Amino acid sequence: MPKNSKVVKRELDDEVIESVKDLLSNEDSADDAFKKSELIVDVQEEKEIDNEEGSEVEDERPAWNSKLQYILAQVGFSVGLGNVWRFPYLCQKNGGGAYLLPYLILLLVIGIPLFFLELSVGQRIRRGSIGVWNYISPKLGGIGFASCVVCFFVALYYNVIIGWSLFYFSQSFQQPLPWDQCPLVKNASNTFVEPECEKSSATTYYWYREALNISSSISESGGLNWKMTICLLAAWVMVCLAMIKGIQSSGKIMYFSSLFPYVVLICFLIRALLLNGSIDGIRHMFTPKLEIMLEPKVWREAATQVFFALGLGFGGVIAFSSYNKRDNNCHFDAVLVSFINFFTSVLATLVVFAVLGFKANIINENCIAQNSEMIIKLLKMGNISQDIIPHHINFSLVTAEDYHLVYDIIQKVKEEEFPALHLNSCYIEDELNKAVQGTGLAFIAFTEAMTHFPASPFWSVMFFLMLVNLGLGSMFGTIEGIITPVVDTFKVKKEILTVICCLLAFCIGLIFVQRSGNYFVTMFDDYSATLPLLIVVSLENIAVSYVYGIDKFMDDLKDMLGFVPNKYYYYMWKYLSPLVLLSLLIASIVNMGLSPPGYNAWIEEKASEEFLSYPTWGMVVCILLMVLAIFPVPVVFIIRCCNLIDDSSGNLASVTYKKGRVLKEPVNFEGDDTSLIHGKIPSEMSSPNFGKNIYRKQSGSPTLDTAPNGRYGIGYLMADMPDMPESDL
């Protein structure tokens, strides 16, 4: 190479070096500090750093003490009063043992997949329902608010039922039980049985008159029932004390409130199986009626029961799972809790029908004894010839088989005159076919059966203590569905919010402890939750599958669980579950439209129930309950679409760099004030994938540039303030 060429090359090299120096000298102090800092991308190294320094954000959020405590909390929330007094009724009404087949099919189609979906989003995003659905889709952020409203409505009347159970529990420490016999009324001349009780039964009279002191219609307030007011106050005090520290306090109570009902149910089952007639009740229960199973109504009611049994849409499932570690196997939890719920329902059904079989046997024996006396009188009067009665029959010790033989003979011989004899067939199946559910089962039928138990006060105490615990377990999840999202969103003190929520709910709940309060419980139960929750869960499914994207969601599950869930869930979430939910929603609307809105009122003069329609103001309240529950969904959608919320930051997560660590700042997603990302390291963030190139803010740039979006569509922002202190979420 010529000498001049070497000289020229050296000069060019010097110019390049000078240019680089100029460029470096022009960098601002922030960029210089950024150069000296280090962004650690390796997942394992980040985890080691965070383990050493600790994650203030993660430490801020409470966590379950153990996996067992979490499972018991989910079981306690999903297993409630409906498993004891709703499932057995549906099983009896819809084909006995054959009903279990559609129930299991629908549990697999909508129950487990949707339960798994709620567990997953709660655990992944680590927020309550408001934060979760704001994060998935800000325009559908109203889903979380709607869940909170429904939770509040349900909590209002659900705790009243716990109050009723507390009242019966307090009255069970007596021998004999106060509902064992009809009360006697004395006047100046004689003593007689209370007419209202004589026309009905001792347990029915005690429920309507002594416990509720019920009025004749919803329009007759009748003032407060002070006994039930005190019981309602006690129920809310129990809930408040248990929830005041969140899962730190309620989690410990779960060991008793979730496990005690199983101890009672097993004890009841063993005791009931030793009683006469219990096997008849169980046989009647599980005798399949296949022709009924094919009716559409059976499938609709089975789907509704699956839906509500697991507590879908309330937000309690999401709230509880948000306190889990991100790598928890929530798929296992979903399957486990769902089948525990199912087998609890079957166990409760066995207990209920074993006890009702015993009760039916006693009633049947009394029926046979009374009708045998009538036959003896008819024989003496000559209305029935002695010749038609088989010689081996002794009416003083007649068995059920012998009585039915005589009954059939008399019916054939006295074909035309038979109705005038007023004889009853006295079949135990007739008594078992009298379907009872809800309060009628717990506070009338079951209490009547327990009066015939040996040591009946003990069994009454156990039964109503079980109802209290079942109710409290569900209440904890319901209140958590309100408290957790509000605390996450508005950063209020959990203790103060819990006290205010319980106090407000008690004050509003006074309408349920009027003399007409039972009718309001029926109204809220029928209209405040059913349709709104179906809409909420349908929107949840749509938000994840179609708005956020089912493929991205499956990738997130793989990242979180360490394995890809079965493709079964992909097809359920994307295709089958939305169709089933839509069909169930339409069927519920049609059923509600065809059923006249009303309630069963207790008429004191007749000592029986009578169906009454709601007055005009009652209809308005029913409509308002449904509208208010779902109202947040369109409101938030309109606000987001019209940009009525200030989106000044416009981003979900911002990051600053200091001393080789990634520091989170308060986050914002399209105007959402909720902080949605916890954790300090990218591997634990909701958007763990950094691009190969790091985008940095240029000096003087008016806006921040974003790095490539992660799985949840989040752009990580690089701020130019190297010494900014670490912020808390």
Side-chain angles (χ1 to χ4, degrees):
M1 179 181 291
K3 184 184 285 187
N4 290 340
S5 299
K6 290 182 180 179
V7 173
V8 172
K9 183 179 184 300
R10 190 181 299 113
E11 289 175 355
L12 289 172
D13 289 343
D14 291 341
E15 289 177 6
V16 170
I17 291 169
E18 290 298 322
S19 298
V20 172
K21 285 181 180 178
D22 291 340
L23 285 172
L24 292 175
S25 64
N26 288 333
E27 285 197 45
D28 57 21
S29 59
D31 286 344
D32 186 52
F34 174 67
K35 274 196 309 176
K36 294 177 183 177
S37 69
E38 179 185 16
L39 175 61
I40 302 170
V41 179
D42 183 78
V43 173
Q44 295 302 322
E45 290 180 17
E46 286 176 341
K47 287 185 177 177
E48 289 172 9
I49 289 172
D50 275 334
N51 286 338
E52 292 172 4
E53 299 183 2
S55 174
E56 294 175 14
V57 177
E58 290 292 344
D59 289 346
E60 239 179 57
R61 192 167 189 81
W64 297 103
N65 291 336
S66 66
K67 181 66 174 281
L68 176 62
Q69 191 181 81
Y70 165 67
I71 293 296
L72 289 177
Q74 290 286 16
V75 169
F77 175 52
S78 65
V79 175
L81 297 172
N83 296 74
V84 174
W85 67 30
R86 177 71 177 165
F87 186 88
Y89 162 76
L90 291 174
C91 211
Q92 174 199 21
K93 174 185 172 186
N94 295 319
Y99 173 74
L100 298 179
L101 181 60
Y103 186 89
L104 266 176
I105 291 172
L106 289 163
L107 182 67
L108 294 172
V109 171
I110 62 170
I112 294 177
L114 293 174
F115 193 59
F116 180 30
L117 185 146
E118 290 202 354
L119 289 179
S120 302
V121 295
Q123 181 175 306
R124 178 68 176 180
I125 303 171
R126 294 177 67 79
R127 283 293 181 269
S129 56
I130 295 175
V132 161
W133 300 112
N134 268 332
Y135 179 45
I136 295 291
S137 173
K139 290 181 180 178
L140 294 177
I143 294 173
F145 289 98
S147 292
C148 289
V149 174
V150 173
C151 279
F152 188 71
F153 284 162
V154 171
L156 288 176
Y157 74 86
Y158 203 87
N159 224 24
V160 175
I161 301 172
I162 297 177
W164 293 343
S165 302
L166 284 172
F167 174 76
Y168 268 80
F169 171 75
S170 67
Q171 299 299 307
S172 297
F173 296 91
Q174 304 177 45
Q175 177 67 33
L177 291 168
W179 49 83
D180 186 31
Q181 301 288 336
C182 282
L184 298 176
V185 180
K186 295 181 180 179
N187 59 18
S189 57
N190 58 356
T191 302
F192 56 93
V193 175
E194 170 64 49
E196 186 181 2
C197 184
E198 191 175 22
K199 293 176 184 176
S200 53
S201 69
T203 50
T204 304
Y205 172 81
Y206 191 86
W207 166 243
Y208 284 116
R209 191 55 52 213
E210 296 293 336
L212 300 181
N213 193 20
I214 201 165
S215 61
S216 297
S217 75
I218 196 171
S219 300
E220 298 175 27
S221 166
L224 289 177
N225 180 339
W226 289 106
K227 291 181 289 188
M228 289 305 171
T229 304
I230 293 170
C231 290
L232 179 63
L233 178 62
W236 275 115
V237 168
M238 291 167 64
V239 171
C240 185
L241 293 176
M243 297 297 300
I244 197 150
K245 294 290 184 183
I247 63 168
Q248 306 293 354
S249 53
S250 65
K252 295 178 177 63
I253 300 172
M254 293 295 180
Y255 288 107
F256 180 76
S257 65
S258 296
L259 293 176
F260 180 73
Y262 290 96
V263 175
V264 176
L265 285 173
I266 292 170
C267 291
F268 259 99
L269 181 61
I270 294 171
R271 184 68 190 92
L273 290 174
L274 300 176
L275 299 171
N276 291 331
S278 60
I279 301 300
D280 294 322
I282 293 174
R283 187 188 302 118
H284 176 81
M285 171 66 244
F286 286 102
T287 302
K289 305 176 185 68
L290 298 175
E291 67 281 358
I292 297 178
M293 190 185 75
L294 300 176
E295 296 178 7
K297 182 185 71 171
V298 173
W299 290 81
R300 178 181 62 80
E301 293 188 343
T304 306
Q305 179 62 17
V306 166
F307 185 85
F308 290 108
L310 294 174
L312 299 173
F314 281 95
V317 173
I318 293 175
F320 280 151
S321 66
S322 72
Y323 298 112
N324 270 330
K325 295 179 180 178
R326 279 201 180 88
D327 59 354
N328 174 60
N329 188 349
C330 55
H331 173 255
F332 172 80
D333 300 342
V335 176
L336 178 65
V337 173
S338 297
F339 278 101
I340 287 176
N341 187 293
F342 171 68
F343 288 117
T344 303
S345 298
V346 175
L347 174 62
T349 301
L350 282 171
V351 171
V352 166
F353 276 89
V355 172
L356 292 182
F358 164 68
K359 172 182 169 245
N361 185 67
I362 291 175
I363 293 173
N364 199 55
E365 286 177 354
N366 293 335
C367 176
I368 290 172
Q370 292 172 3
N371 281 270
S372 295
E373 290 178 5
M374 290 178 64
I375 291 173
I376 293 171
K377 288 180 182 178
L378 291 171
L379 288 170
K380 289 179 179 178
M381 293 169 60
N383 292 345
I384 299 176
S385 171
Q386 185 69 45
D387 297 335
I388 65 173
I389 306 297
H391 298 294
H392 70 278
I393 291 182
N394 180 5
F395 281 108
S396 59
L397 296 171
V398 68
T399 63
E401 291 77 12
D402 289 344
Y403 173 77
H404 293 141
L405 176 63
V406 172
Y407 179 86
D408 290 339
I409 292 172
I410 295 173
Q411 189 176 27
K412 289 177 182 177
V413 173
K414 298 285 185 178
E415 188 174 351
E416 294 181 359
E417 303 171 18
F418 184 78
L421 300 178
H422 302 294
L423 294 175
N424 292 319
S425 59
C426 297
Y427 283 105
I428 195 170
E429 288 78 11
D430 295 337
E431 189 63 33
L432 288 169
N433 279 329
K434 294 178 181 177
V436 284
Q437 65 164 324
T439 54
L441 174 63
F443 298 108
I444 298 176
F446 219 87
T447 51
E448 183 178 344
M450 285 188 295
T451 58
H452 301 291
F453 278 30
S456 55
F458 168 77
W459 293 105
S460 183
V461 167
M462 294 283 281
F463 176 70
F464 289 110
L465 187 58
M466 178 190 74
L467 290 188
V468 169
N469 279 277
L470 284 172
L472 285 176
S474 297
M475 275 298 295
F476 293 158
T478 304
I479 297 298
E480 199 67 57
I482 303 170
I483 301 297
T484 296
V486 173
V487 168
D488 287 344
T489 305
F490 302 105
K491 307 303 178 190
V492 295
K493 280 268 189 180
K494 178 167 281 189
E495 294 84 353
I496 296 173
L497 178 63
T498 303
V499 172
I500 292 174
C501 180
C502 292
L503 187 61
L504 178 64
F506 169 72
C507 293
I508 298 175
L510 292 176
I511 65 172
F512 302 107
V513 289
Q514 304 173 95
R515 290 183 59 197
S516 60
N518 187 44
Y519 307 138
F520 284 97
V521 171
T522 302
M523 176 190 287
F524 272 67
D525 191 37
D526 289 342
Y527 293 97
S528 69
T530 307
L531 282 183
L533 280 179
L534 282 171
I535 295 171
V536 164
V537 177
S538 300
L539 290 174
E540 287 181 0
N541 198 165
I542 292 168
V544 170
S545 299
Y546 296 99
V547 179
Y548 176 70
I550 191 67
D551 294 310
K552 282 198 293 181
F553 187 63
M554 295 297 283
D555 287 341
D556 294 332
L557 290 176
K558 179 184 177 182
D559 180 63
M560 185 170 67
L561 301 176
F563 63 89
V564 181
N566 194 291
K567 270 287 186 182
Y568 167 80
Y569 292 103
Y570 179 93
Y571 294 113
M572 289 296 106
W573 287 328
K574 190 168 185 180
Y575 302 112
L576 200 52
S577 294
L579 285 175
V580 173
L581 286 171
L582 181 61
S583 302
L584 184 58
L585 179 61
I586 294 171
S588 299
I589 293 172
V590 170
N591 182 64
M592 192 173 286
L594 296 177
S595 304
Y599 60 100
N600 289 317
W602 179 257
I603 309 301
E604 184 176 357
E605 295 75 20
K606 299 178 181 178
S608 63
E609 288 185 335
E610 183 178 311
F611 184 82
L612 298 179
S613 297
Y614 286 117
T616 305
W617 64 265
M619 291 293 298
V620 172
V621 173
C622 291
I623 295 169
L624 276 176
L625 287 174
M626 292 185 287
V627 171
L628 288 175
I630 208 65
F631 191 60
V633 175
V635 168
V636 172
F637 184 83
I638 292 169
I639 287 173
R640 296 292 190 188
C641 287
C642 299
N643 293 320
L644 300 180
I645 291 180
D646 180 26
D647 288 346
S648 55
S649 62
N651 297 284
L652 183 61
S654 53
V655 183
T656 59
Y657 291 81
K658 181 179 180 181
K659 297 179 183 178
R661 295 175 59 206
V662 183
L663 307 179
K664 263 64 60 188
E665 294 176 17
V667 295
N668 198 314
F669 187 68
E670 294 186 21
D672 179 21
D673 293 328
T674 309
S675 298
L676 298 178
I677 306 294
H678 269 176
K680 192 168 291 188
I681 59 177
S683 61
E684 288 186 359
M685 284 184 173
S686 301
S687 283
N689 299 335
F690 283 93
K692 294 290 183 184
N693 300 318
I694 301 301
Y695 287 51
R696 296 169 49 198
K697 179 182 180 298
Q698 209 171 21
S699 179
S701 174
T703 59
L704 293 172
D705 297 326
T706 62
N709 285 344
R711 285 206 176 97
Y712 283 73
I714 305 168
Y716 285 85
L717 303 183
M718 312 306 160
D720 62 346
M721 295 172 286
D723 294 320
M724 178 179 288
E726 181 173 0
S727 58
D728 288 332
L729 291 180

